[in-house]
Amino acid sequence: MDIQDEEFLARLLATFGEEATDHIQAIISGILVLEQDSSRSQQAEIEPVYRATHSLKGAARAVGLKDIETVCQHLESVFSSVRKGDLILTEKEFDLVHETISILESLLAGTKDVKITPLIQKLKNTVSVQKPTANEQVKSVFIEDSVRKNDTQTDIIPSDTEAEDPGSHQKAGLITSSPKIKISEERLTSLYETADDLLSYRMAAGTHLSELKTISRTLQAWRWNLSRVEGDVANLKRQHQGTSDVLDRILLFIDTTRDIIGSCESRLDATIQMMAQDQSEMDSAITQLIDSIREVVLVPFSTLTDTYPRMVRDIARDQGKKVSLMVNGSDIEIDRRILDVIRDPMIHLIRNAVDHGIEPEDIRVKQGKPAEGKLSIDIIHNRANQISITITDDGKGINPDTASMVAVNKGIIDEKEVQALNNREKIRLIFQSGFTTSQKISTLSGRGLGLAIVQEKISQVGGIVDVESVPGKITRFSLTVPITLATFKGILVYVENRPFFLPLQEVERVMIPDASEITTIEGRTVLHLDNQTIPVAMLSSLLGLSSVSSDNSDARSLVLIRTPTRRFGVIVHQIGGAQEIVVRDLGPQLKDIRFVSGVAILSNTQIVPVLHIEDLAEEMQGKTRLGVSVRDISSLLSGRRKIMVVEDSITSRMLLKNILEGAGYEVETAVDGLDALTKLRTSPVDLVVSDVDMPRMNGFVLTEKIRAEKKLSDLPVILVTSLDSREDREHGITVGANAYIIKSSFDQSNLLEVITRLIGAGR
């Protein structure tokens, strides 16, 4: 055989493998329907199973797979007997059919040493040995010939189109299906990447258009300023009461420049208008194209759920249980990539339901339940880009006290922490790594990894998983996943001048809490909110980032995060706002990097890590300190910088207070130096503005006291006084004042400039 023949045979075998998988699934689905519902007529409903077996036999013959052809030939004989009414499938025959299917799957997988002779003998023994009458022979030959002819046509019609059977039109009418094609995984991956790139270009175009609008507004302001300057120059010329060549040239230059700017502004506005229209049309076209690409990569849930009935049957039989499975919504479509990720979590939850949840028949009967357990999977559109999957069983449920006791015994949580949990939170302990109630390790359970991995996998695609249970009655797992992975909404935060994205769906709120809401309990910094104590920490501390500044005084915003199992807050330096972004995978080389689930590329080509919330939540458990001193908490989390005004004159005190509050600062007042020092020891501030000449304790002494106390020694002090002698100014600097402002030449802009230089602008 030459190379071309070998390549053709390889392609042919690959095509056969895909077709064989579809036929086997059709056989499984049809047999399970008959097995689970004894009220159905086997003779009437065996037809699609018989056809799938016959088609598989023909396809195996075409590629020279004799063993598969032989097995299918004898299995077809069994179904033919059922079809003619000579055989009724019982539990024994159903088991034999499932055994045959397992053998066929092994042969398809290329498993060596698969012995088919004993199986063929069993199939032969099952078939009725009655010799058909002449009429039955003619009928059989006619049907066989019809099927063979239709098999021949499968080379020229789509593979999903079923062969016709004479007389089928009288039964069900003409059935047609739209042609379908198969797309390679490589081409699908290329489509994924193209859709992501188009979305990035669309967002970048919008950003560039906004920048052009900003430039237009700048030009407009420039032109207005030139007009004002032109008026000033004209006034200056009139004051000279004569001609001035210099002023004339300046006026001519301003006039010409204004005209040029006006012309550029008009052209820019026209360009912006055209770009806005182009961008709108491009946005519409790209959106439509992306939607079309997504439709290509969407697959029905049935590609996953069709295998569940047989899996449930096999597990239940192995454990001596009876379990019926009902699947609703399997025609709903979802991104193939998401389906691949949730495949294992779904299988694990279903196995758990049969293994741990549903009781054996005798126990169910004693409890007044039906002998047959019920397992249901409901798939629905939750909202625009989300799908909800609910897996429910009517088994023994989850006892919250038992779950918490197991968690304590395995060191997942301590007894003191358990006491603070409600029943729902206790049940959610089953998602912790190492949790298992199984006393032995089997192929189904006992290793304590399953549900932790379920949660991890669902989180990878931006989904969430929850559980609720009524002991003795029901357990319900709820999974919420996006339909596609193309877009992602995140909140941009800055930590130590580094940008990060937090998943927006897990951000409960962004807030600037009052300092009084932050306390320390048993060494752990917590936020008191909604009658709860919520742990908080510096995000830079959680990520292990080295500080690029001398302190964390700019970190004032707190992002409150809620996961199904935890609620905590992280303090960041700056909030950049919520954005729609395209998340890129890290690739196999970097898939195990902690804290990072992917990266986003901004319109300026900057690469920003997307943080993994579950990793942050786990790190929070080991953090007992905020990452800064307790004294700095007030200034960290206060929405505004806090300034103390020390002034014995109520008029001057109110004037300074109004000026500073108008500039965005929080202001506390004191009537003299002694009052100020007392308040400073209990109420930290960022800066002190003080008069000098005051009763009980003047400003000089107050400044000396501040510098003498270790906790206050770095506090900036500005002295504002009417004492303007050189000696007073030098004395003020000597005692440690950062600035000395004379009231007689007081200018509030000068004061605010000094304050901004010392502690930053107000908010």
Side-chain angles (χ1 to χ4, degrees):
M1 181 181 292
D2 59 26
I3 295 177
Q4 290 185 344
D5 290 339
E6 290 179 358
E7 292 177 351
F8 172 73
L9 181 58
R11 291 198 303 271
L12 194 63
L13 287 172
T15 303
F16 168 75
E18 295 175 355
E19 182 182 358
T21 301
D22 293 339
H23 289 319
I24 288 179
Q25 186 56 53
I27 296 171
I28 294 172
S29 299
I31 287 297
L32 285 172
V33 168
L34 295 176
E35 185 179 12
Q36 293 173 359
D37 189 352
S38 59
S39 65
R40 292 179 178 270
S41 170
Q42 293 186 4
Q43 185 177 4
E45 299 194 31
I46 199 66
E47 184 66 27
V49 178
Y50 171 79
R51 287 184 175 283
T53 308
H54 181 81
S55 297
L56 179 58
K57 180 188 70 174
R61 184 194 309 123
V63 295
L65 297 177
K66 295 296 183 181
D67 285 350
I68 295 179
E69 179 188 357
T70 303
V71 172
C72 288
Q73 174 68 49
H74 290 87
L75 182 61
E76 181 184 8
S77 298
V78 174
F79 295 149
S80 178
S81 296
V82 176
R83 194 165 172 253
K84 291 184 291 185
D86 294 339
L87 176 66
I88 299 296
L89 299 177
T90 63
E91 183 177 342
K92 178 182 177 182
E93 284 78 27
F94 280 123
D95 287 344
L96 178 58
V97 171
H98 285 293
E99 180 185 352
T100 305
I101 292 171
S102 297
I103 293 293
L104 286 173
E105 289 175 333
S106 297
L107 291 171
L108 281 171
T111 304
K112 297 180 180 180
D113 301 328
V114 178
K115 297 179 180 180
I116 65 171
T117 303
L119 175 67
I120 291 174
Q121 188 60 48
K122 291 180 184 178
L123 293 171
K124 285 181 178 180
N125 295 338
T126 303
V127 177
S128 174
V129 192
Q130 295 179 357
K131 192 172 183 179
T133 64
N135 289 336
E136 289 174 332
Q137 286 180 351
V138 172
K139 182 178 179 182
S140 176
V141 171
F142 176 74
I143 293 174
E144 180 74 12
D145 185 63
S146 172
V147 174
R148 288 183 186 278
K149 288 180 179 179
N150 282 302
D151 274 354
T152 305
Q153 294 177 358
T154 58
D155 290 336
I156 59 175
I157 63 175
S159 61
D160 287 352
T161 305
E162 292 187 357
E164 277 191 324
D165 177 33
S168 64
H169 297 307
Q170 289 101 357
K171 296 179 183 177
L174 182 63
I175 300 175
T176 60
S177 61
S178 59
K180 296 182 180 179
I181 62 172
K182 295 185 182 296
I183 302 177
S184 67
E185 191 68 28
E186 292 77 10
R187 292 185 179 180
L188 279 178
T189 302
S190 177
L191 284 176
Y192 295 146
E193 295 173 351
T194 300
D196 289 347
D197 289 340
L198 287 174
L199 190 59
S200 297
Y201 298 151
R202 185 181 69 179
M203 289 189 283
T207 302
H208 297 330
L209 185 60
S210 298
E211 291 175 356
L212 286 177
K213 291 178 179 179
T214 301
I215 294 173
S216 177
R217 289 192 294 268
T218 302
L219 286 175
Q220 186 182 49
W222 188 9
R223 180 167 53 83
W224 289 346
N225 288 333
L226 280 174
S227 297
R228 293 174 57 189
V229 172
E230 185 180 26
D232 294 339
V233 175
N235 289 333
L236 183 62
K237 183 178 179 181
R238 284 194 295 270
Q239 290 176 9
H240 281 75
Q241 297 179 353
T243 60
S244 171
D245 292 340
V246 174
L247 293 179
D248 287 340
R249 285 196 298 272
I250 292 175
L251 287 172
L252 179 62
F253 173 77
I254 293 175
D255 190 52
T256 303
T257 303
R258 187 182 62 228
D259 291 342
I260 293 173
I261 293 174
S263 175
C264 292
E265 189 180 346
S266 299
R267 291 164 57 191
L268 182 58
D269 288 342
T271 302
I272 290 174
Q273 187 174 0
M274 289 187 292
M275 283 189 63
Q277 183 176 352
D278 292 343
Q279 202 247 350
S280 176
E281 295 175 357
M282 181 181 69
D283 184 74
S284 177
I286 288 178
T287 300
Q288 184 176 357
L289 182 58
I290 289 175
D291 289 342
S292 299
I293 291 175
R294 288 176 182 171
E295 288 179 4
V296 173
V297 301
L298 294 180
V299 294
F301 259 96
S302 57
T303 59
L304 188 62
T305 58
D306 282 350
T307 62
Y308 292 165
R310 183 186 175 205
M311 179 181 70
V312 170
R313 175 198 179 275
D314 292 345
I315 297 174
R317 291 293 295 273
D318 290 343
Q319 303 214 356
K321 301 177 181 179
K322 281 189 177 181
V323 181
S324 66
L325 173 66
M326 177 68 69
V327 180
N328 300 310
S330 59
D331 57 335
I332 292 176
E333 295 183 325
I334 188 171
D335 193 316
R336 185 189 300 268
R337 295 169 293 181
I338 296 178
L339 203 63
D340 289 341
V341 173
I342 69 174
R343 185 182 305 273
D344 289 342
M346 291 278 289
I347 289 175
H348 184 85
L349 291 175
I350 293 169
R351 285 179 171 175
N352 249 19
V354 180
D355 185 29
H356 290 297
I358 296 176
E359 311 93 335
E361 293 180 52
D362 55 342
I363 296 178
R364 291 180 64 86
V365 171
K366 288 180 181 178
Q367 294 176 346
K369 293 182 178 181
E372 184 179 67
K374 292 184 178 180
L375 176 63
S376 65
I377 302 174
D378 297 290
I379 305 162
I380 61 172
H381 278 294
N382 189 20
R383 41 185 170 169
N385 192 43
Q386 282 191 341
I387 288 177
S388 289
I389 309 164
T390 305
I391 301 174
T392 308
D393 70 77
D394 67 344
K396 62 184 179 182
I398 304 171
N399 188 305
D401 293 330
T402 301
S404 59
M405 181 180 67
V406 171
V408 171
N409 291 338
K410 293 188 175 295
I412 297 172
I413 193 172
D414 59 43
E415 294 183 3
K416 188 173 183 180
E417 290 175 308
V418 166
Q419 294 174 2
L421 301 180
N422 56 37
N423 285 341
R424 188 180 182 87
E425 291 170 333
K426 289 178 180 178
I427 291 175
R428 288 199 56 84
L429 290 171
I430 64 177
F431 290 110
Q432 298 297 315
S433 180
F435 185 97
T436 179
T437 58
S438 181
Q439 300 299 317
K440 61 181 180 179
I441 295 177
S442 68
T443 57
L444 295 180
S445 60
R447 292 172 175 82
L449 298 174
L451 290 177
I453 294 177
V454 167
Q455 181 166 279
E456 178 184 342
K457 290 285 187 182
I458 299 300
S459 297
Q460 283 179 9
V461 294
I464 56 175
V465 58
D466 199 3
V467 61
E468 53 183 328
S469 181
V470 178
K473 293 184 178 181
I474 190 174
T475 300
R476 180 179 293 111
F477 284 89
S478 301
L479 284 65
T480 303
V481 295
I483 295 178
T484 66
L485 285 179
T487 58
F488 173 90
K489 286 189 176 180
I491 181 169
L492 183 63
V493 300
Y494 290 88
V495 180
E496 300 294 350
N497 296 325
R498 299 180 178 95
F500 296 94
F501 272 111
L502 293 170
L504 191 59
Q505 68 175 9
E506 292 173 296
V507 174
E508 182 176 339
R509 71 173 83 167
V510 177
M511 59 187 301
I512 303 174
D514 188 87
S516 61
E517 298 174 327
I518 304 292
T519 59
T520 301
I521 299 178
E522 297 182 355
R524 181 181 292 272
T525 307
V526 296
L527 167 70
H528 294 280
L529 183 68
D530 301 332
N531 296 321
Q532 291 185 348
T533 55
I534 303 169
V536 297
M538 294 289 296
L539 183 55
S540 57
S541 176
L542 293 178
L543 298 177
L545 299 178
S546 58
S547 177
V548 298
S549 57
S550 58
D551 57 55
N552 288 302
S553 60
D554 289 331
R556 311 179 209 170
S557 299
L558 186 142
V559 181
L560 190 59
I561 296 172
R562 181 190 289 273
T563 71
T565 55
R566 298 183 181 95
R567 194 181 187 202
F568 62 96
V570 293
I571 299 171
V572 300
H573 289 80
Q574 184 181 348
I575 301 292
Q579 296 185 29
E580 185 180 39
I581 56 176
V582 177
V583 179
R584 309 281 187 173
D585 291 333
L586 295 175
Q589 298 87 349
L590 304 176
K591 66 178 181 179
D592 294 326
I593 290 184
R594 197 171 182 221
F595 300 122
V596 180
S597 61
V599 295
I601 302 177
L602 302 184
S603 58
N604 60 359
T605 70
Q606 185 178 18
I607 298 176
V608 180
V610 178
L611 297 180
H612 191 265
I613 296 299
E614 284 300 324
D615 286 349
L616 292 179
E618 290 179 6
E619 184 69 11
M620 277 292 298
Q621 288 188 318
K623 291 290 181 181
T624 59
R625 298 186 65 250
L626 181 67
V628 291
S629 65
V630 176
R631 179 188 175 277
D632 291 334
I633 293 177
S634 174
S635 60
L636 280 173
L637 296 175
S638 173
R640 298 176 294 175
R641 298 293 194 181
K642 192 173 183 180
I643 297 176
M644 177 175 286
V645 173
V646 188
E647 173 66 68
D648 61 329
S649 168
I650 187 171
T651 302
S652 298
R653 190 164 63 242
M654 290 301 101
L655 174 62
L656 287 171
K657 186 175 186 292
N658 290 336
I659 290 172
L660 296 175
E661 287 180 340
Y665 297 101
E666 182 181 351
V667 179
E668 184 172 353
T669 59
V671 297
D672 57 31
L674 185 59
D675 183 29
L677 190 61
T678 303
K679 289 181 177 179
L680 286 174
R681 288 168 176 166
T682 57
S683 178
V685 298
D686 297 291
L687 181 140
V688 173
V689 176
S690 176
D691 186 19
V692 172
D693 192 8
M694 296 179 294
R696 297 202 297 175
M697 182 184 292
N698 64 36
F700 292 146
V701 176
L702 172 62
T703 305
E704 286 181 319
K705 295 287 186 182
I706 289 174
R707 294 292 173 255
E709 294 204 11
K710 185 176 181 180
K711 291 183 178 180
L712 303 175
S713 59
D714 295 329
L715 184 64
V717 177
I718 299 175
L719 296 179
V720 181
T721 178
S722 57
L723 302 177
D724 60 352
S725 68
R726 179 179 177 182
E727 291 77 9
D728 289 329
R729 289 198 297 270
E730 290 179 350
H731 184 52
I733 301 302
T734 301
V735 296
N738 297 86
Y740 194 97
I741 297 176
I742 307 301
K743 287 184 178 180
S744 59
S745 58
F746 177 77
D747 182 355
Q748 71 177 48
S749 62
N750 182 34
L751 173 64
L752 294 176
E753 181 182 348
V754 173
I755 293 175
T756 301
R757 190 169 66 248
L758 290 173
I759 63 170
R763 295 184 64 180

